[in-house]
């Protein structure tokens, strides 16, 4: 039986090309909202599982971090390894930690809406229970102050903290007070398993583990690794040389329960990013996501 060849211009391939052309002609006012939604979803996903920007609301980390600085925080690094002494971390404080927010917060509807949207995409100020400090001690460490040179000691070794600016250290002559962080001196603390001892770089104003106690490592939100704003202060937040030297001579002890346990596995969401990007590209070109597969020649 004779097969009937389709007329030129009327076959399935021609119809598909015609449909593609019609989809590509989608006006910008229809494409733009879809692209904005995809971009917003990607920003929320990245903020939730990968990287988040934090606003510095107080002077407790001066002069390393200034009020109104913005830092980027790596939120997955401690799912792969333990914290390291000398790193700057953002964490949720326990109930006994006193909030350090010093700038007034507007409660108008527009301000609240802006904070809500900013929090979703990761560019807002931290909450009252979010703190940023430097890791001084890890599980099993013995932290005290002071040695003959007025330095803190970790396991009996004095640390020369070059990042503390002149005049920013606590009063050496003031007697220790377990309820206030006004004195440089404090009695020796043995860091419990699964917790860390943190301090601010501006010791005169920082409310930290000296008077509020160690913090569970599982409370860590992430590691601050770079200052991104203002632009003239752009710099990485690396581990100071004194802590690198200390770690070389005193390797970090891996005490049980030191790795933060998160409710969600970030790897699942990381793997979803390429699919979301592919969906965005498909939407931009007007092709259905499921049909954008290359056909091999027969």
């Amino acid at each position: 039986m004779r097969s009937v060849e389709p007329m030129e211009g009327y076959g399935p391939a021609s119809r598909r090309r015609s449909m593609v052309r019609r989809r590509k002609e989608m006006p910008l006012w229809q494409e733009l909202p879809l692209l904005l939604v995809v971009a917003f979803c990607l920003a929320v996903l990245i903020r939730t599982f990968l990287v988040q920007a934090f606003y510095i609301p107080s002077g407790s980390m001066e002069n390393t971090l200034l009020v109104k600085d913005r830092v980027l925080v790596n939120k997955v690094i401690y799912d792969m390894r333990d914290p390291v002494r000398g790193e700057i971390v953002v964490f949720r404080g326990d109930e006994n930690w006193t909030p350090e927010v010093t700038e007034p917060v507007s409660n108008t509807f527009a301000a609240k809406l802006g904070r809500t949207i900013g929090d979703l995409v990761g560019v807002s100020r931290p909450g009252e229970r979010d703190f940023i400090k430097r890791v001084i001690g890890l599980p099993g460490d013995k932290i005290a102050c002071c040695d003959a040179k007025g330095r803190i000691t970790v396991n009996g070794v004095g640390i020369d903290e070059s990042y503390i600016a002149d005049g920013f250290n606590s009063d050496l002559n003031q007697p220790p007070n377990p309820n206030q962080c006004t004195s440089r001196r404090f009695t020796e603390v043995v860091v419990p398993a699964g917790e860390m001892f943190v301090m601010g770089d501006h010791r005169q104003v920082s409310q930290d583990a000296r008077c509020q106690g160690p913090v569970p490592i599982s409370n860590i939100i992430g590691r601050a690794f770079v200052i991104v704003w203002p632009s003239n202060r752009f710099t990485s937040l690396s581990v100071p040389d004194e802590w690198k030297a200390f770690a070389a001579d005193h390797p970090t002890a891996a005490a049980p329960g030191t790795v933060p346990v998160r409710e969600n596995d970030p790897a699942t969401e990381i793997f979803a990013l390429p699919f979301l990007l592919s969906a965005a590209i498909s939407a931009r070109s007007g092709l259905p996501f499921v049909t954008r597969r290359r056909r091999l020649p027969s």
Side-chain angles (χ1 to χ4, degrees), residues 137-200:
L138 295 172
D141 285 343
K142 297 179 180 179
I143 315 297
C145 193
C146 304
D147 64 3
K149 296 182 179 180
R151 304 174 299 179
I152 63 167
T153 62
V154 180
N155 301 328
V157 179
I159 306 296
D160 294 309
E161 299 179 279
S162 60
Y163 44 81
I164 298 181
D166 292 340
F168 280 28
N169 213 335
S170 301
D171 189 352
L172 186 60
N173 298 317
Q174 187 171 345
N177 186 335
N179 298 318
Q180 294 180 356
C181 295
T182 53
S183 173
R184 191 184 311 185
R185 299 184 182 276
F186 58 90
T187 56
E188 184 179 86
V189 176
V190 179
V191 184
E195 299 190 3
M196 60 182 178
F197 193 94
V198 295
M199 300 175 71

Side-chain angles (χ1 to χ4, degrees), residues 29-277:
W29 66 269
Q30 290 181 349
E31 287 187 347
L32 187 58
L34 179 59
L35 293 176
L36 290 176
V37 169
V38 172
F40 180 79
C41 292
L42 286 175
V44 172
L45 187 61
I46 292 171
R47 170 250 187 257
T48 304
F49 298 105
L50 300 178
V51 177
Q52 182 174 355
F54 273 89
Y55 172 91
I56 306 302
S58 74
S60 66
M61 283 295 294
E62 292 176 341
N63 277 333
T64 305
L65 300 174
L66 305 181
V67 177
K68 297 183 179 181
D69 279 355
R70 279 178 168 80
V71 298
L72 290 185
V73 173
N74 184 330
K75 302 183 73 172
V76 298
I77 187 170
Y78 297 129
D79 290 299
M80 297 176 282
R81 67 165 176 83
D82 293 345
V84 173
R85 302 181 194 93
E87 291 181 330
I88 298 174
V89 297
V90 175
F91 59 93
R92 292 180 299 276
D94 291 338
E95 293 182 357
N96 58 320
W97 275 65
T98 304
E100 289 185 331
V101 178
T102 56
E103 288 193 331
V105 179
S106 173
N107 289 318
T108 63
F109 174 78
K112 289 181 178 179
L113 179 62
R115 288 197 296 269
T116 300
I117 297 175
D119 183 63
L120 285 174
V121 298
V123 296
S124 67
R125 62 193 303 149
E128 288 187 351
R129 291 296 173 185
D130 294 340
F131 298 84
I132 184 165
K133 305 289 181 186
R134 190 180 298 274
V135 178
I136 302 296
L138 295 172
D141 285 343
K142 297 179 180 179
I143 315 297
C145 193
C146 304
D147 64 3
K149 296 182 179 180
R151 304 174 299 179
I152 63 167
T153 62
V154 180
N155 301 328
V157 179
I159 306 296
D160 294 309
E161 299 179 279
S162 60
Y163 44 81
I164 298 181
D166 292 340
F168 280 28
N169 213 335
S170 301
D171 189 352
L172 186 60
N173 298 317
Q174 187 171 345
N177 186 335
N179 298 318
Q180 294 180 356
C181 295
T182 53
S183 173
R184 191 184 311 185
R185 299 184 182 276
F186 58 90
T187 56
E188 184 179 86
V189 176
V190 179
V191 184
E195 299 190 3
M196 60 182 178
F197 193 94
V198 295
M199 300 175 71
D201 290 355
H202 191 169
R203 301 286 161 80
Q204 289 185 352
V205 301
S206 176
Q207 300 297 306
D208 48 44
R210 290 174 292 170
C211 57
Q212 304 192 94
V215 180
I217 293 178
S218 59
N219 284 15
I220 292 179
I221 296 172
R223 178 195 172 188
F225 64 95
V226 64
I227 302 174
V228 293
W229 189 261
S231 57
N232 62 348
R233 284 183 46 76
F234 181 87
T235 186
S236 62
L237 298 171
S238 58
V239 175
D241 291 339
E242 51 266 41
W243 286 112
K244 291 179 181 178
F246 180 87
D249 296 332
H250 307 81
T252 301
T258 60
V259 179
V261 178
R262 301 186 189 272
E263 296 179 357
N264 300 306
D265 181 5
T268 303
E269 284 73 20
I270 294 172
F271 292 140
L273 283 175
F275 295 101
L276 288 173
L277 288 172

